[in-house]
Coordinates of all heavy atoms in Angstrom, one line a residue:
M1340 N 46.4 28.1 -12.7 CA 46.2 27.0 -11.9 C 44.7 26.6 -12.1 O 43.8 27.4 -11.9 CB 46.5 27.4 -10.5 CG 46.1 26.4 -9.4 SD 46.5 26.9 -7.8 CE 47.7 25.7 -7.4
A1341 N 44.5 25.3 -12.4 CA 43.1 24.8 -12.6 C 42.6 24.4 -11.2 O 43.3 24.0 -10.3 CB 43.2 23.6 -13.5
A1342 N 41.2 24.5 -11.2 CA 40.5 24.2 -9.9 C 40.3 22.7 -9.9 O 40.0 22.0 -10.8 CB 39.2 24.9 -9.9
S1343 N 40.5 22.0 -8.7 CA 40.3 20.7 -8.6 C 38.9 20.4 -8.3 O 38.0 21.2 -8.2 CB 41.2 20.2 -7.4 OG 40.7 20.7 -6.2
R1344 N 38.6 19.1 -8.2 CA 37.2 18.7 -8.1 C 36.6 19.1 -6.8 O 35.4 19.5 -6.6 CB 37.1 17.2 -8.2 CG 36.4 16.7 -9.4 CD 36.3 15.2 -9.4 NE 35.2 14.7 -9.9 CZ 34.4 14.8 -11.0 NH1 34.8 15.9 -11.8 NH2 33.4 14.2 -11.3
E1345 N 37.3 19.2 -5.7 CA 36.9 19.6 -4.4 C 36.6 21.0 -4.4 O 35.6 21.5 -3.7 CB 37.9 19.3 -3.4 CG 38.1 17.7 -3.1 CD 39.0 17.1 -4.1 OE1 39.8 17.8 -4.7 OE2 38.9 15.9 -4.4
D1346 N 37.4 21.9 -5.2 CA 37.0 23.3 -5.2 C 35.8 23.6 -5.9 O 35.1 24.6 -5.5 CB 38.3 24.1 -5.8 CG 39.6 23.9 -5.0 OD1 39.4 23.6 -3.8 OD2 40.7 24.0 -5.6
V1347 N 35.5 22.9 -6.9 CA 34.3 23.2 -7.8 C 33.1 22.9 -6.9 O 32.0 23.6 -7.0 CB 34.3 22.3 -9.0 CG1 33.0 22.5 -9.8 CG2 35.5 22.7 -9.9
K1348 N 33.1 22.0 -6.0 CA 32.0 21.6 -5.2 C 31.5 22.8 -4.4 O 30.4 23.0 -4.2 CB 32.3 20.5 -4.3 CG 31.2 20.0 -3.4 CD 31.5 18.8 -2.6 CE 32.5 19.1 -1.6 NZ 32.7 17.9 -0.6
F1349 N 32.4 23.7 -3.9 CA 32.1 24.8 -3.1 C 31.7 26.1 -3.9 O 31.2 27.0 -3.3 CB 33.2 25.1 -2.1 CG 33.4 24.0 -1.1 CD1 34.5 23.2 -1.2 CD2 32.6 23.8 -0.2 CE1 34.6 22.2 -0.2 CE2 32.6 22.7 0.7 CZ 33.7 21.9 0.7
L1350 N 32.1 26.0 -5.2 CA 31.8 27.2 -6.0 C 30.4 27.3 -6.5 O 29.9 28.4 -6.8 CB 32.8 27.2 -7.2 CG 34.3 27.5 -6.9 CD1 35.1 27.3 -8.2 CD2 34.5 28.8 -6.2
S1351 N 29.7 26.2 -6.6 CA 28.4 26.1 -7.0 C 27.5 25.6 -6.0 O 27.9 24.8 -5.1 CB 28.2 25.2 -8.3 OG 28.6 23.9 -7.9
N1352 N 26.2 26.0 -6.0 CA 25.2 25.6 -5.0 C 24.8 24.3 -5.4 O 24.3 23.9 -6.5 CB 24.0 26.6 -5.1 CG 23.1 26.4 -4.0 OD1 23.2 25.4 -3.2 ND2 22.0 27.2 -3.9
P1353 N 24.8 23.3 -4.5 CA 24.5 21.9 -4.8 C 23.0 21.7 -4.9 O 22.5 20.8 -5.5 CB 25.0 21.1 -3.6 CG 25.1 22.1 -2.5 CD 25.4 23.4 -3.1
K1354 N 22.1 22.7 -4.5 CA 20.7 22.6 -4.5 C 20.2 23.1 -5.9 O 18.9 23.0 -6.0 CB 20.1 23.3 -3.4 CG 20.6 22.7 -2.0 CD 19.4 22.4 -1.1 CE 20.0 21.9 0.2 NZ 19.2 21.0 0.8
I1355 N 21.0 23.6 -6.8 CA 20.5 24.1 -8.0 C 20.0 23.0 -8.8 O 20.7 22.0 -9.0 CB 21.6 24.9 -8.7 CG1 21.9 26.2 -8.0 CG2 21.2 25.2 -10.2 CD1 23.0 26.9 -8.6
G1356 N 18.8 23.1 -9.4 CA 18.3 22.1 -10.2 C 17.3 21.1 -9.5 O 16.7 20.3 -10.1
L1357 N 17.4 21.0 -8.1 CA 16.6 20.1 -7.4 C 15.3 20.8 -7.0 O 15.3 21.9 -6.5 CB 17.4 19.7 -6.0 CG 18.6 18.8 -6.3 CD1 19.3 18.7 -4.9 CD2 18.4 17.5 -6.9
R1358 N 14.3 20.1 -7.3 CA 12.9 20.7 -6.9 C 12.4 20.0 -5.6 O 12.7 18.8 -5.3 CB 11.9 20.4 -8.1 CG 12.2 21.1 -9.2 CD 11.0 21.0 -10.2 NE 11.4 21.2 -11.6 CZ 10.7 20.8 -12.5 NH1 9.6 20.1 -12.4 NH2 11.1 21.0 -13.8
N1359 N 11.6 20.7 -4.9 CA 11.0 20.1 -3.7 C 9.8 19.2 -4.2 O 9.1 19.5 -5.2 CB 10.4 21.2 -2.8 CG 11.5 22.1 -2.2 OD1 12.7 21.6 -2.1 ND2 11.1 23.2 -1.7
K1360 N 9.6 18.1 -3.6 CA 8.6 17.2 -3.9 C 7.2 17.9 -3.6 O 7.0 18.3 -2.5 CB 8.8 15.9 -3.1 CG 7.8 14.8 -3.4 CD 8.2 13.9 -4.5 CE 7.3 12.8 -4.5 NZ 6.4 12.8 -5.6
K1361 N 6.3 17.8 -4.6 CA 5.0 18.3 -4.3 C 4.3 17.3 -3.4 O 4.5 16.1 -3.5 CB 4.3 18.4 -5.7 CG 4.8 19.6 -6.4 CD 3.9 19.7 -7.7 CE 4.6 20.7 -8.6 NZ 4.0 20.6 -9.9
Y1362 N 3.4 17.8 -2.6 CA 2.6 16.9 -1.7 C 1.2 17.4 -1.6 O 0.9 18.6 -1.7 CB 3.3 16.7 -0.3 CG 3.4 18.1 0.4 CD1 2.3 18.5 1.3 CD2 4.5 18.9 0.2 CE1 2.4 19.7 1.9 CE2 4.5 20.1 0.9 CZ 3.5 20.5 1.7 OH 3.5 21.7 2.4
C1363 N 0.3 16.5 -1.3 CA -1.0 16.8 -1.1 C -1.2 17.3 0.4 O -1.0 16.5 1.4 CB -2.0 15.7 -1.4 SG -3.7 16.0 -1.1
R1364 N -1.5 18.5 0.5 CA -1.5 19.1 1.9 C -2.7 18.5 2.7 O -2.7 18.5 3.9 CB -1.6 20.7 1.9 CG -2.9 21.1 1.4 CD -2.8 22.6 1.4 NE -2.2 23.0 0.1 CZ -1.8 24.2 -0.2 NH1 -2.1 25.2 0.6 NH2 -1.3 24.5 -1.3
F1365 N -3.7 18.0 2.1 CA -4.8 17.5 2.8 C -4.5 16.1 3.3 O -4.9 15.8 4.4 CB -6.1 17.3 1.8 CG -6.5 18.6 1.2 CD1 -6.2 19.0 0.0 CD2 -7.2 19.5 2.1 CE1 -6.5 20.3 -0.4 CE2 -7.7 20.7 1.6 CZ -7.3 21.1 0.3
R1366 N -3.7 15.3 2.6 CA -3.3 14.0 3.2 C -2.2 14.1 4.2 O -2.1 13.4 5.2 CB -2.8 13.1 2.0 CG -3.9 12.7 1.1 CD -3.5 11.6 0.1 NE -4.6 11.3 -0.7 CZ -4.6 10.3 -1.5 NH1 -3.5 9.5 -1.8 NH2 -5.6 10.0 -2.3
K1367 N -1.4 15.1 4.0 CA -0.3 15.3 4.9 C -0.8 15.8 6.3 O -0.3 15.3 7.3 CB 0.7 16.4 4.4 CG 1.9 16.6 5.3 CD 2.9 17.5 4.7 CE 4.2 17.7 5.5 NZ 5.1 18.5 4.9
F1368 N -1.7 16.7 6.3 CA -2.2 17.2 7.6 C -3.5 16.6 8.0 O -4.0 16.9 9.1 CB -2.3 18.8 7.5 CG -1.1 19.4 7.2 CD1 -1.0 20.2 6.0 CD2 0.0 19.4 8.0 CE1 0.1 20.9 5.8 CE2 1.1 20.1 7.8 CZ 1.2 20.8 6.6
G1369 N -4.0 15.6 7.2 CA -5.2 14.8 7.7 C -6.5 15.7 7.6 O -7.4 15.5 8.5
I1370 N -6.6 16.6 6.7 CA -7.8 17.3 6.5 C -8.9 16.5 5.7 O -8.6 16.1 4.6 CB -7.5 18.6 5.7 CG1 -6.5 19.5 6.5 CG2 -8.8 19.4 5.5 CD1 -6.0 20.7 5.8
K1371 N -9.9 16.3 6.4 CA -11.1 15.4 5.7 C -12.0 16.3 5.0 O -12.6 15.9 4.0 CB -11.6 14.5 6.7 CG -10.7 13.6 7.5 CD -10.2 12.5 6.5 CE -9.3 11.5 7.2 NZ -8.6 10.6 6.4
Y1372 N -12.4 17.4 5.6 CA -13.5 18.2 5.2 C -13.0 19.5 4.7 O -12.3 20.2 5.4 CB -14.6 18.3 6.2 CG -15.8 19.2 5.9 CD1 -16.7 18.7 4.9 CD2 -15.9 20.5 6.4 CE1 -17.8 19.5 4.6 CE2 -17.0 21.2 6.0 CZ -17.9 20.8 5.1 OH -18.9 21.6 4.7
I1373 N -13.4 20.0 3.5 CA -13.1 21.3 3.1 C -14.3 22.1 3.2 O -15.4 21.9 2.5 CB -12.6 21.2 1.5 CG1 -11.4 20.2 1.5 CG2 -12.4 22.5 1.0 CD1 -11.1 19.9 0.1
D1374 N -14.2 23.2 4.0 CA -15.3 24.1 4.3 C -15.5 25.1 3.1 O -14.5 25.9 2.9 CB -15.1 24.7 5.6 CG -16.5 25.4 6.1 OD1 -17.4 25.2 5.5 OD2 -16.3 26.2 7.1
Y1375 N -16.6 25.2 2.5 CA -16.9 26.1 1.5 C -17.1 27.5 1.9 O -17.0 28.5 1.3 CB -18.1 25.8 0.5 CG -19.4 25.7 1.2 CD1 -20.2 26.8 1.3 CD2 -19.7 24.5 1.9 CE1 -21.4 26.7 1.9 CE2 -20.9 24.4 2.5 CZ -21.8 25.6 2.6 OH -23.1 25.6 3.2
K1376 N -17.3 27.7 3.3 CA -17.5 29.0 4.0 C -16.2 29.6 4.3 O -16.2 30.8 4.6 CB -18.5 28.8 5.1 CG -19.9 28.4 4.7 CD -20.7 28.1 5.9 CE -20.3 26.7 6.4 NZ -21.2 26.0 7.3
D1377 N -15.2 28.9 4.3 CA -13.8 29.5 4.7 C -13.2 30.0 3.4 O -12.4 29.4 2.7 CB -12.9 28.3 5.2 CG -11.7 28.9 6.0 OD1 -11.5 30.1 6.0 OD2 -10.8 28.1 6.4
S1378 N -13.4 31.3 3.2 CA -12.8 32.0 1.9 C -11.4 32.1 2.0 O -10.7 32.1 1.0 CB -13.6 33.2 1.7 OG -13.3 34.2 2.8
D1379 N -10.7 32.4 3.1 CA -9.3 32.6 3.2 C -8.6 31.3 2.9 O -7.5 31.4 2.2 CB -9.0 33.0 4.7 CG -9.5 34.4 5.1 OD1 -9.7 35.2 4.2 OD2 -9.8 34.6 6.3
F1380 N -9.1 30.2 3.3 CA -8.4 28.9 2.9 C -8.5 28.6 1.5 O -7.7 28.2 0.7 CB -9.0 27.8 3.7 CG -8.5 26.4 3.4 CD1 -7.2 26.1 3.8 CD2 -9.2 25.4 2.8 CE1 -6.7 24.9 3.5 CE2 -8.7 24.2 2.4 CZ -7.3 23.9 2.8
L1381 N -9.8 28.9 0.9 CA -10.0 28.7 -0.6 C -9.2 29.6 -1.4 O -9.1 29.3 -2.7 CB -11.5 28.7 -0.8 CG -12.4 27.7 -0.3 CD1 -13.8 27.9 -0.5 CD2 -11.9 26.3 -0.7
L1382 N -8.9 30.7 -1.0 CA -8.0 31.7 -1.8 C -6.7 31.1 -2.2 O -6.1 31.6 -3.1 CB -7.9 33.1 -1.1 CG -9.1 34.0 -1.1 CD1 -8.8 35.3 -0.2 CD2 -9.3 34.4 -2.5
Q1383 N -6.2 30.1 -1.4 CA -5.0 29.5 -1.8 C -5.0 28.7 -3.1 O -4.0 28.5 -3.7 CB -4.5 28.6 -0.6 CG -4.3 29.2 0.7 CD -4.0 28.2 1.8 OE1 -3.9 27.0 1.6 NE2 -3.8 28.7 3.0
F1384 N -6.2 28.4 -3.5 CA -6.3 27.5 -4.6 C -7.0 28.2 -5.9 O -7.2 27.5 -6.8 CB -7.4 26.4 -4.3 CG -6.8 25.6 -3.1 CD1 -7.3 25.7 -1.9 CD2 -5.8 24.7 -3.3 CE1 -6.9 24.9 -0.7 CE2 -5.3 23.9 -2.2 CZ -5.9 24.1 -0.9
I1385 N -7.0 29.5 -5.8 CA -7.4 30.3 -7.0 C -6.4 31.4 -7.3 O -5.8 31.8 -6.4 CB -8.8 30.9 -6.8 CG1 -8.9 31.8 -5.6 CG2 -9.9 29.8 -6.7 CD1 -10.3 32.4 -5.5
N1386 N -6.3 31.8 -8.5 CA -5.3 32.7 -8.9 C -5.9 34.1 -8.8 O -7.1 34.3 -8.3 CB -4.7 32.6 -10.3 CG -5.7 32.5 -11.4 OD1 -6.9 32.9 -11.2 ND2 -5.4 32.3 -12.6
E1387 N -5.2 35.1 -9.3 CA -5.6 36.5 -9.1 C -6.9 36.8 -9.9 O -7.7 37.7 -9.5 CB -4.5 37.5 -9.7 CG -3.4 37.5 -8.8 CD -2.3 36.4 -9.1 OE1 -2.4 35.9 -10.3 OE2 -1.5 36.1 -8.4
Q1388 N -7.1 36.1 -11.0 CA -8.3 36.3 -11.8 C -9.5 35.7 -11.2 O -10.7 35.8 -11.7 CB -8.1 36.0 -13.2 CG -7.2 36.8 -14.0 CD -5.8 36.4 -13.9 OE1 -5.5 35.2 -13.7 NE2 -4.8 37.3 -14.1
G1389 N -9.3 34.7 -10.3 CA -10.4 33.9 -9.7 C -10.5 32.6 -10.3 O -11.5 31.9 -10.0
K1390 N -9.6 32.1 -11.1 CA -9.6 30.8 -11.7 C -9.1 29.8 -10.7 O -8.1 30.1 -10.0 CB -8.9 30.8 -13.0 CG -9.4 31.7 -14.1 CD -8.5 31.6 -15.3 CE -9.0 32.4 -16.4 NZ -8.1 32.3 -17.6
L1391 N -9.5 28.5 -10.9 CA -8.9 27.4 -10.0 C -7.5 27.1 -10.6 O -7.3 27.0 -11.7 CB -9.8 26.3 -10.1 CG -11.0 26.2 -9.2 CD1 -11.9 25.1 -9.6 CD2 -10.6 26.0 -7.9
L1392 N -6.7 26.9 -9.6 CA -5.3 26.5 -9.9 C -5.3 25.0 -10.2 O -6.0 24.2 -9.4 CB -4.3 26.8 -8.8 CG -4.0 28.3 -8.6 CD1 -3.2 28.4 -7.3 CD2 -3.4 28.8 -9.8
P1393 N -4.6 24.5 -11.2 CA -4.6 23.0 -11.5 C -3.8 22.2 -10.4 O -3.0 22.7 -9.6 CB -3.9 23.0 -12.9 CG -3.1 24.3 -13.0 CD -3.8 25.3 -12.1
R1394 N -4.0 20.9 -10.5 CA -3.3 20.0 -9.6 C -1.8 20.0 -9.7 O -1.1 19.9 -8.8 CB -3.7 18.6 -9.9 CG -5.1 18.2 -9.4 CD -5.4 16.7 -9.8 NE -4.4 15.9 -9.2 CZ -4.1 14.7 -9.7 NH1 -4.7 14.3 -10.8 NH2 -3.2 13.9 -9.2
R1395 N -1.3 20.2 -11.0 CA 0.1 20.2 -11.2 C 0.8 21.4 -10.5 O 2.0 21.3 -10.2 CB 0.4 20.2 -12.6 CG 0.0 21.3 -13.5 CD 0.2 21.1 -14.9 NE -0.5 22.1 -15.7 CZ -0.1 23.4 -15.9 NH1 1.0 23.8 -15.4 NH2 -0.9 24.1 -16.6
I1396 N 0.1 22.4 -10.2 CA 0.6 23.6 -9.4 C 0.4 23.4 -8.0 O 1.4 23.7 -7.2 CB 0.0 24.9 -10.0 CG1 0.5 25.1 -11.4 CG2 0.4 26.1 -9.2 CD1 -0.1 26.2 -12.1
T1397 N -0.8 23.1 -7.6 CA -1.1 23.0 -6.2 C -0.5 21.7 -5.5 O -0.2 21.7 -4.3 CB -2.6 23.1 -5.8 OG1 -3.3 22.0 -6.5 CG2 -3.2 24.3 -6.3
G1398 N -0.4 20.6 -6.3 CA 0.0 19.4 -5.7 C -0.9 18.6 -5.0 O -0.7 17.6 -4.4
N1399 N -2.2 18.9 -5.2 CA -3.3 18.2 -4.5 C -3.5 16.8 -5.2 O -3.3 16.7 -6.4 CB -4.7 18.9 -4.6 CG -4.6 20.2 -3.8 OD1 -3.9 20.3 -2.8 ND2 -5.5 21.1 -4.1
S1400 N -4.1 15.9 -4.6 CA -4.4 14.7 -5.2 C -5.7 14.8 -5.9 O -6.4 15.8 -5.6 CB -4.6 13.5 -4.1 OG -5.5 13.8 -3.2
L1401 N -6.1 13.9 -6.7 CA -7.3 14.0 -7.6 C -8.5 14.1 -6.7 O -9.4 15.0 -6.9 CB -7.4 12.9 -8.6 CG -8.6 12.9 -9.5 CD1 -8.5 14.1 -10.4 CD2 -8.7 11.6 -10.2
K1402 N -8.6 13.3 -5.6 CA -9.8 13.3 -4.8 C -10.0 14.7 -4.1 O -11.2 15.2 -4.1 CB -9.5 12.2 -3.8 CG -10.5 12.1 -2.7 CD -10.1 11.1 -1.7 CE -10.9 11.0 -0.4 NZ -10.5 10.0 0.4
Y1403 N -8.9 15.2 -3.6 CA -9.1 16.5 -2.9 C -9.1 17.7 -3.8 O -9.7 18.7 -3.6 CB -7.9 16.6 -1.9 CG -8.2 15.8 -0.7 CD1 -7.4 14.6 -0.6 CD2 -9.1 15.9 0.3 CE1 -7.5 13.8 0.5 CE2 -9.4 15.2 1.3 CZ -8.6 14.1 1.4 OH -8.7 13.2 2.5
Q1404 N -8.6 17.5 -5.0 CA -8.8 18.7 -6.0 C -10.2 18.7 -6.5 O -10.8 19.9 -6.6 CB -7.8 18.3 -7.2 CG -7.9 19.4 -8.3 CD -7.3 20.8 -7.9 OE1 -6.5 20.7 -7.0 NE2 -7.7 21.8 -8.6
R1405 N -10.8 17.6 -6.5 CA -12.3 17.7 -6.9 C -13.1 18.3 -5.8 O -14.1 19.1 -6.0 CB -12.8 16.3 -7.1 CG -12.3 15.7 -8.5 CD -12.9 14.3 -8.7 NE -12.4 13.7 -10.0 CZ -12.3 12.5 -10.2 NH1 -12.5 11.5 -9.2 NH2 -11.9 12.1 -11.3
R1406 N -12.7 17.9 -4.5 CA -13.5 18.5 -3.4 C -13.2 20.1 -3.3 O -14.1 20.8 -3.0 CB -13.0 17.9 -2.1 CG -13.6 16.4 -2.0 CD -13.2 15.8 -0.7 NE -13.6 14.4 -0.7 CZ -13.4 13.7 0.4 NH1 -12.9 14.2 1.4 NH2 -13.8 12.5 0.4
V1407 N -12.0 20.5 -3.6 CA -11.7 21.9 -3.6 C -12.5 22.6 -4.7 O -13.0 23.7 -4.4 CB -10.1 22.1 -3.8 CG1 -9.9 23.6 -4.2 CG2 -9.4 21.8 -2.5
A1408 N -12.6 22.0 -5.8 CA -13.4 22.7 -6.9 C -14.8 22.8 -6.6 O -15.3 23.8 -6.9 CB -13.1 21.8 -8.2
S1409 N -15.4 21.7 -6.0 CA -16.8 21.9 -5.6 C -16.9 22.8 -4.5 O -18.0 23.6 -4.5 CB -17.3 20.5 -5.3 OG -16.7 20.0 -4.2
A1410 N -16.1 23.0 -3.6 CA -16.1 23.9 -2.5 C -16.0 25.4 -3.1 O -16.8 26.2 -2.6 CB -15.1 23.7 -1.5
V1411 N -15.2 25.6 -4.0 CA -15.0 27.0 -4.7 C -16.2 27.3 -5.5 O -16.8 28.4 -5.4 CB -13.8 27.0 -5.6 CG1 -13.7 28.2 -6.4 CG2 -12.6 27.0 -4.7
K1412 N -16.9 26.3 -6.1 CA -18.0 26.6 -6.9 C -19.2 26.8 -5.9 O -20.1 27.8 -6.3 CB -18.4 25.3 -7.7 CG -17.4 25.2 -8.9 CD -17.6 23.9 -9.6 CE -16.6 23.7 -10.7 NZ -16.7 22.4 -11.4
R1413 N -19.3 26.2 -4.8 CA -20.4 26.5 -3.8 C -20.2 27.8 -3.3 O -21.2 28.6 -3.2 CB -20.4 25.4 -2.7 CG -21.0 24.1 -3.2 CD -21.0 23.1 -2.0 NE -21.3 21.8 -2.5 CZ -21.0 20.7 -1.8 NH1 -20.2 20.7 -0.8 NH2 -21.5 19.6 -2.3
S1414 N -19.0 28.2 -2.9 CA -18.8 29.6 -2.3 C -19.0 30.7 -3.4 O -19.5 31.7 -3.0 CB -17.4 29.7 -1.7 OG -16.4 29.5 -2.7
R1415 N -18.7 30.4 -4.6 CA -19.1 31.4 -5.7 C -20.5 31.5 -5.8 O -21.1 32.6 -5.9 CB -18.5 30.9 -7.1 CG -17.0 31.2 -7.2 CD -16.6 30.5 -8.5 NE -15.2 30.7 -8.7 CZ -14.5 30.0 -9.6 NH1 -15.1 29.2 -10.4 NH2 -13.3 30.3 -9.7
H1416 N -21.3 30.4 -5.7 CA -22.8 30.5 -5.9 C -23.3 31.2 -4.7 O -24.4 32.0 -4.9 CB -23.3 29.1 -6.0 CG -24.8 29.0 -6.3 ND1 -25.3 29.3 -7.5 CD2 -25.8 28.7 -5.4 CE1 -26.6 29.1 -7.4 NE2 -26.9 28.8 -6.2
L1417 N -22.8 31.2 -3.6 CA -23.3 31.9 -2.4 C -22.7 33.3 -2.2 O -22.9 33.9 -1.2 CB -23.2 31.0 -1.2 CG -23.8 29.8 -1.0 CD1 -23.4 29.0 0.2 CD2 -25.3 30.0 -0.9
A1418 N -22.0 33.8 -3.2 CA -21.4 35.0 -3.2 C -20.3 35.3 -2.1 O -20.1 36.4 -1.7 CB -22.4 36.2 -3.1
I1419 N -19.7 34.2 -1.6 CA -18.5 34.3 -0.7 C -17.3 34.6 -1.5 O -16.5 35.4 -1.0 CB -18.4 33.0 0.0 CG1 -19.7 32.8 1.0 CG2 -17.2 33.0 1.0 CD1 -19.8 31.5 1.6
L1420 N -17.1 33.9 -2.6 CA -16.0 34.3 -3.6 C -16.6 34.8 -4.9 O -17.7 34.4 -5.3 CB -15.2 32.9 -3.8 CG -14.3 32.3 -2.8 CD1 -13.7 31.1 -3.2 CD2 -13.3 33.4 -2.4
P1421 N -15.9 35.7 -5.5 CA -16.4 36.2 -6.8 C -16.1 35.2 -8.0 O -15.2 34.4 -7.9 CB -15.6 37.5 -7.0 CG -14.4 37.3 -6.3 CD -14.7 36.4 -5.0
F1422 N -17.0 35.2 -9.0 CA -16.7 34.4 -10.1 C -15.5 34.9 -10.9 O -14.7 34.2 -11.3 CB -18.0 34.4 -11.0 CG -19.0 33.5 -10.6 CD1 -20.0 34.0 -9.9 CD2 -19.1 32.2 -10.9 CE1 -21.0 33.1 -9.4 CE2 -20.1 31.3 -10.6 CZ -21.0 31.8 -9.7
V1423 N -15.4 36.3 -11.2 CA -14.4 36.8 -11.9 C -13.9 38.0 -11.1 O -14.7 38.8 -10.6 CB -14.9 37.4 -13.3 CG1 -13.7 38.0 -14.0 CG2 -15.4 36.2 -14.1
A1424 N -12.6 38.3 -11.1 CA -12.1 39.5 -10.3 C -10.8 39.9 -10.9 O -10.1 39.3 -11.6 CB -11.8 39.1 -8.8
D1425 N -10.4 41.2 -10.7 CA -9.2 41.7 -11.1 C -8.3 41.9 -9.8 O -8.6 42.6 -8.9 CB -9.4 43.1 -11.7 CG -10.1 43.0 -13.1 OD1 -9.9 42.0 -13.7 OD2 -10.8 44.0 -13.5
L1426 N -7.2 41.1 -9.8 CA -6.3 41.2 -8.8 C -6.9 40.9 -7.4 O -7.0 41.8 -6.6 CB -5.4 42.4 -8.8 CG -4.7 42.7 -10.1 CD1 -4.1 44.1 -10.0 CD2 -3.6 41.7 -10.3
M1427 N -7.3 39.7 -7.1 CA -8.0 39.3 -5.8 C -7.1 39.4 -4.8 O -7.3 39.9 -3.7 CB -8.6 38.0 -6.0 CG -9.9 37.9 -6.7 SD -10.6 36.3 -6.8 CE -10.8 35.9 -5.1
K1428 N -5.8 38.9 -5.0 CA -4.8 38.8 -3.9 C -4.0 40.0 -3.7 O -3.7 40.7 -4.6 CB -3.9 37.5 -4.1 CG -4.7 36.3 -4.1 CD -3.9 35.1 -4.3 CE -4.7 33.8 -4.4 NZ -4.0 32.6 -4.7

């Protein structure tokens, strides 16, 4: 007995292949200022080695990605964040 079209709909997950839309969290939540002294917040934008995550992964807009980059660089200069690390998170 062959499965009809209605049966196939319930056999597979309809959300497979659909991606969530990336969004800029700064524009969504209305964050205007990125504090370079807030290391816990800046850790969201760097990977385990201490490198900055690109826009295509974080979903930030260009304006706020530049601000995040300068905030991370400032906090590195003041030794709040390390320049290089092994498994930071």
Side-chain angles (χ1 to χ4, degrees):
M1340 173 182 243
S1343 65
R1344 251 181 137 50
E1345 293 81 26
D1346 296 336
V1347 174
K1348 182 173 74 172
F1349 295 108
L1350 293 176
S1351 63
N1352 187 357
K1354 302 227 178 215
I1355 291 176
L1357 293 177
R1358 290 192 207 160
N1359 292 337
K1360 178 93 171 102
K1361 290 183 192 167
Y1362 60 90
C1363 179
R1364 69 183 83 190
F1365 299 102
R1366 290 189 180 186
K1367 184 175 181 181
F1368 299 119
I1370 301 172
K1371 299 289 183 191
Y1372 178 71
I1373 301 169
D1374 190 13
Y1375 63 91
K1376 294 171 282 202
D1377 189 5
S1378 63
D1379 295 331
F1380 180 69
L1381 292 176
L1382 280 175
Q1383 299 174 1
F1384 302 103
I1385 58 178
N1386 64 5
E1387 292 85 17
Q1388 291 87 25
K1390 295 180 181 180
L1391 277 168
L1392 291 173
R1394 282 180 58 207
R1395 62 186 165 81
I1396 294 176
T1397 59
N1399 294 337
S1400 62
L1401 180 62
K1402 174 182 172 181
Y1403 288 105
Q1404 180 70 18
R1405 286 180 180 151
R1406 291 183 182 181
V1407 165
S1409 63
V1411 168
K1412 290 173 187 176
R1413 283 180 185 155
S1414 64
R1415 283 176 179 164
H1416 186 71
L1417 294 173
I1419 298 170
L1420 288 176
F1422 280 93
V1423 180
D1425 290 331
L1426 300 174
M1427 286 181 57
K1428 295 181 183 179

